[in-house]
Amino acid sequence: MFRVGDKVAHPMHGAGVIDGIVTETVAGGSQDYYVFRMPVGGLVLKIPTAASAAVGLRSVVDPVKAAKLLRDLTMLEVERFTGSWNQRYRENMQKIKSGDLYEVARVAKGLVRRDRERGLSTGERKMLRSAKQILISEMVLSMEEEYHAIETQVNAAMSGGQAV
């Protein structure tokens, strides 16, 4: 169970902070919810405490692991998809939902590569923005650095040392 002030990561929204734990009555029954706030963008979600594990809510990675991922990004291997747009989209979405930062980074880096080579569809462009936001938001909270600084480093690493 998380406490107020804990830094947590949501697999589909990125990292944020538990701002509170509230009890609400819905359909005659009471349920506890984490109030999850993202510092960047100000998104606020209420996540049932009983379902937090099923949702994939977890503590943010420690700063050492976040720094290692940032260093590993340049050499991170990504798959070259040969399937249809729908198949690529489903596989990438499954990787993002896993909550594994390395998988999210692979999705983002693969989409950056595909964008350079062939361009992206509107859906893939949205997925790229989402994957980068998930990745960067967790690194920002873990490493306690400014969003722009981490974003610049991530973009440079994903494009082989050149800013995207």
Side-chain angles (χ1 to χ4, degrees):
M1 182 158 188
F2 298 107
R3 291 184 274 193
V4 174
D6 284 354
K7 296 175 184 177
V8 297
H10 187 288
M12 294 304 295
H13 296 288
V17 178
I18 301 294
D19 257 3
I21 301 173
V22 297
T23 302
E24 293 189 4
T25 303
V26 178
S30 292
Q31 190 168 11
D32 291 337
Y33 292 86
Y34 293 121
V35 179
F36 171 81
R37 180 187 50 80
M38 290 186 58
V40 177
L43 176 69
V44 176
L45 298 173
K46 288 184 180 173
I47 303 167
T49 58
S52 63
V55 167
L57 201 64
R58 60 172 174 74
S59 296
V60 297
V61 296
D62 67 64
V64 173
K65 288 182 182 175
K68 181 180 181 332
L69 174 57
L70 195 52
R71 287 189 309 272
D72 291 349
L73 271 177
T74 302
M75 301 307 293
L76 192 64
E77 295 289 327
V78 295
E79 296 177 33
R80 290 202 183 266
F81 289 105
T82 56
S84 69
W85 178 89
N86 284 338
Q87 184 181 14
R88 282 193 319 270
Y89 189 88
R90 279 193 310 273
E91 287 179 23
N92 282 337
M93 188 57 72
Q94 187 176 16
K95 289 177 184 178
I96 290 172
K97 286 180 178 180
S98 76
D100 181 327
L101 273 186
Y102 273 87
E103 290 299 311
V104 174
R106 281 186 181 89
V107 168
K109 188 171 181 180
L111 290 171
V112 165
R113 175 188 286 165
R114 184 163 186 88
D115 191 26
R116 268 196 321 260
E117 294 172 355
R118 298 185 177 167
L120 296 176
S121 68
T122 302
E124 287 175 313
R125 193 167 303 285
K126 183 178 177 184
M127 180 179 277
L128 173 57
R129 280 192 307 269
S130 178
K132 278 185 172 181
Q133 187 278 324
I134 290 167
L135 180 66
I136 294 167
S137 68
E138 185 158 356
M139 293 177 136
V140 164
L141 278 184
S142 175
M143 299 168 72
E144 297 182 358
E145 291 190 31
E146 293 293 321
Y147 189 93
H148 181 71
I150 297 291
E151 180 181 37
T152 300
Q153 293 174 58
V154 166
N155 285 339
M158 285 190 184
S159 64
Q162 303 165 347
V164 173

